[in-house]
Amino acid sequence: MHIERLQIADLRVLATADLQLRPGINFFLGANGAGKTSVLESVHLLSYGRSFRAGGRDVLVRRGAESARVFAELVGLEGSRTRLGIERSGATWRGRVNDADIGQLHELFLRCAVACFEPGSHELISGASDGRRSLLDWGVFHVEPDFLALWRRYQRALRQRNALLRDQAPDDWFAPWEREMAESGIVVTRMREAYAAVLAESVVATAGEILPEFSGLKFQLLSGWKDDAPMDPGAAADRLAVERGRDRQRGYSRRGPHRADWGLLFDQVARREHLSRGQEKLCALTVILAQLECLQRLRRDWPVLLLDDLGSELDAEHQAHVLNWMQLRPVQVLITGVELPPALGDRDARLFHVEQGRVKPITGIL
Ligand SMILES: Nc1ncnc2c1ncn2[C@@H]1O[C@H](COP(=O)(O)OP(=O)(O)OP(=O)(O)O)[C@@H](O)[C@H]1O
Ligand SMILES: [Mg+2]
């Protein structure tokens, strides 16, 4: 999949932009504060309904404007075309697919798979498990049509069980919610396991290209259940019943797919805490690129990749590895930087200059 046309209105510093992107590398060049990251945020909105940067959703709307709007024309498998739009006004979102309003924004997100590496991505390795779980679930969401509904069902039952735990409710009130958690939770776990098995293969292959000094990097899924995940809903419900006493003391449910996580195992370093910040970033990038590869294998279509400030995140050698990785695959990439990375060299790329909120294609010799 690639974005052929991207229109942005009133998003942060960008008043209006109308861009023709190329299927391969698109590079956005400009000074600090020019609006480069805002261009990537616009694409991120179409896929997640939020920015990858910290801060509330209201800061996205340009100061003094009523709403922020993004529109994209996508070209997918065998040349299929889709028109997507998203608008933030006041506290509400509105999504459109092929010029029709949609009921739920995930109908939009499902059509627009975008992965992103940005200055905060090292958190994927060193931060809390929520970020790692979201990354994994993003992949599962894009290959398993029922995942989102099941996950919501599980979370609803989990909230009910946690409320009963906090209220010290009698034991027989728990059974319906534990059954519900067990039924949906087992399917969620199985879907994640199936996806993670393919992702793990992609991580090994991608590490060989991006992070060759970490040969033997392995991806490991942790299901969130104690030890092995239960085999069936009956066994899962039994486990929840056994855990209930201890969960009452803590006031929350300690086991289940809401506690799932993943980690990387290294031959070269004993623990992830031994990684440098740069190595954390490279590990995060390896998993992000592996996910693209994995989704391509499972859906036959490449997601779009955003690389914010690549030059300041990675040294020249690793930037070259990343650019080589891209060049070997028909993946659309949007990269930002305050200068062109030397590794870009004479690779085919469309260049855009960003200056005080205006984005213009650069033609001719730089
Ligand atoms: N809601 C808003 N309305 C208007 N301007 C905004 C808003 N939010 C942020 N800005 C401005 O947008 C600019 C930041 O844009 P952006 O982060 O895209 O720049 P950048 O080119 O990526 O910079 P850097 O190289 O420093 O990362 C800043 O000048 C900031 O003051
Ligand atoms: Mg930026």
Side-chain angles (χ1 to χ4, degrees):
M1 167 196 121
H2 71 271
I3 299 173
E4 192 172 74
R5 184 176 183 192
L6 177 66
Q7 290 174 287
I8 308 167
D10 292 329
L11 186 103
R12 291 201 192 264
V13 72
L14 307 171
T16 121
D18 189 350
L19 311 174
Q20 297 287 334
L21 303 180
R22 76 187 295 273
I25 300 174
N26 297 270
F27 197 96
F28 296 86
L29 182 68
N32 291 135
K36 305 177 298 295
T37 300
S38 309
V39 175
L40 302 200
E41 275 182 310
S42 74
V43 176
H44 200 269
L45 280 182
L46 289 169
S47 186
Y48 300 85
R50 60 177 167 78
S51 170
F52 49 85
R53 290 201 263 199
R57 290 165 201 229
D58 297 331
V59 295
L60 291 168
V61 180
R62 194 168 66 90
R63 267 192 301 279
E66 293 273 299
S67 64
R69 298 172 302 284
V70 184
F71 167 84
E73 262 181 60
L74 303 189
V75 181
L77 284 174
E78 282 135 28
S80 65
R81 286 177 175 271
T82 317
R83 294 159 56 83
L84 302 180
I86 190 162
E87 176 175 1
R88 170 80 181 180
S89 95
T92 54
W93 290 104
R94 205 168 71 131
R96 287 170 81 77
V97 174
N98 291 329
D99 305 314
D101 283 330
I102 49 171
Q104 301 233 23
L105 282 179
H106 72 258
E107 294 170 40
L108 173 70
F109 307 154
L110 208 47
R111 289 166 185 262
C112 188
V114 173
C116 175
F117 173 74
E118 43 91 19
S121 289
H122 61 278
E123 290 272 330
L124 202 54
I125 305 300
S126 57
S129 61
D130 312 35
R132 285 185 290 280
R133 212 160 38 240
S134 304
L135 180 110
L136 179 77
D137 286 349
W138 174 81
V140 185
F141 166 71
H142 278 286
V143 297
E144 293 283 2
D146 299 333
F147 178 76
L148 185 64
L150 277 159
W151 182 228
R152 287 180 172 168
R153 208 180 120 194
Y154 176 82
Q155 286 185 302
R156 217 168 22 243
L158 171 69
R159 278 195 297 276
Q160 297 290 344
R161 183 177 190 265
N162 282 344
L164 295 179
L165 289 169
R166 280 193 303 274
D167 295 346
Q168 293 296 341
D171 274 333
D172 52 353
W173 290 20
F174 282 79
W177 298 115
E178 289 179 355
R179 202 165 45 241
E180 180 75 357
M181 277 173 76
E183 279 170 11
S184 51
I186 283 295
V187 190
V188 163
T189 300
R190 292 288 170 263
M191 286 178 173
R192 283 180 177 154
E193 284 170 345
Y195 179 78
V198 184
L199 180 58
E201 285 174 20
S202 298
V203 167
V204 173
T206 311
E209 288 178 72
I210 303 297
L211 202 49
E213 63 272 35
F214 275 9
S215 59
L217 188 73
K218 288 194 188 63
F219 178 94
Q220 185 186 41
L221 175 70
L222 306 163
S223 71
W225 298 96
K226 191 178 174 199
D227 307 322
D228 287 341
M231 292 305 289
D232 55 54
D238 289 347
R239 289 233 205 141
L240 288 168
V242 169
E243 299 280 348
R244 199 183 303 144
R246 224 165 315 138
D247 287 351
R248 277 188 191 280
Q249 289 166 11
R250 303 270 177 112
Y252 64 89
S253 307
R254 293 170 313 131
R255 309 279 186 211
H258 60 291
R259 303 299 294 271
D261 197 356
W262 55 262
L264 297 174
L265 304 176
F266 309 90
D267 287 346
Q268 287 77 5
V269 288
R271 298 166 48 168
R272 74 167 191 226
E273 288 82 1
H274 295 159
L275 295 173
S276 74
R277 178 57 62 89
Q279 287 170 330
E280 284 173 2
K281 289 184 175 179
L282 286 163
C283 288
L285 181 60
T286 298
V287 177
I288 291 166
L289 298 183
Q291 264 219 318
L292 296 197
E293 191 100 49
C294 178
L295 278 193
Q296 195 281 332
R297 278 175 68 186
L298 296 169
R299 311 178 328 155
R300 295 195 303 127
D301 203 6
W302 286 98
V304 172
L305 175 62
L306 309 177
L307 297 174
D308 192 26
D309 230 348
L310 183 70
S312 67
E313 297 302 308
L314 307 184
D315 62 36
E317 190 184 332
H318 288 102
Q319 284 180 48
H321 289 331
V322 176
L323 288 163
N324 287 340
W325 182 94
M326 286 171 205
Q327 196 125 54
L328 295 171
R329 293 155 176 91
V331 53
Q332 185 180 44
V333 197
L334 279 66
I335 312 178
T336 68
V338 291
E339 53 189 31
L340 286 175
L344 197 62
D346 53 5
R347 287 167 218 258
D348 277 345
R350 184 161 299 166
L351 303 180
F352 295 87
H353 190 237
V354 188
E355 189 178 20
Q356 294 181 359
R358 281 185 299 278
V359 191
K360 292 199 188 110
I362 305 175
T363 47
I365 299 163
L366 286 171

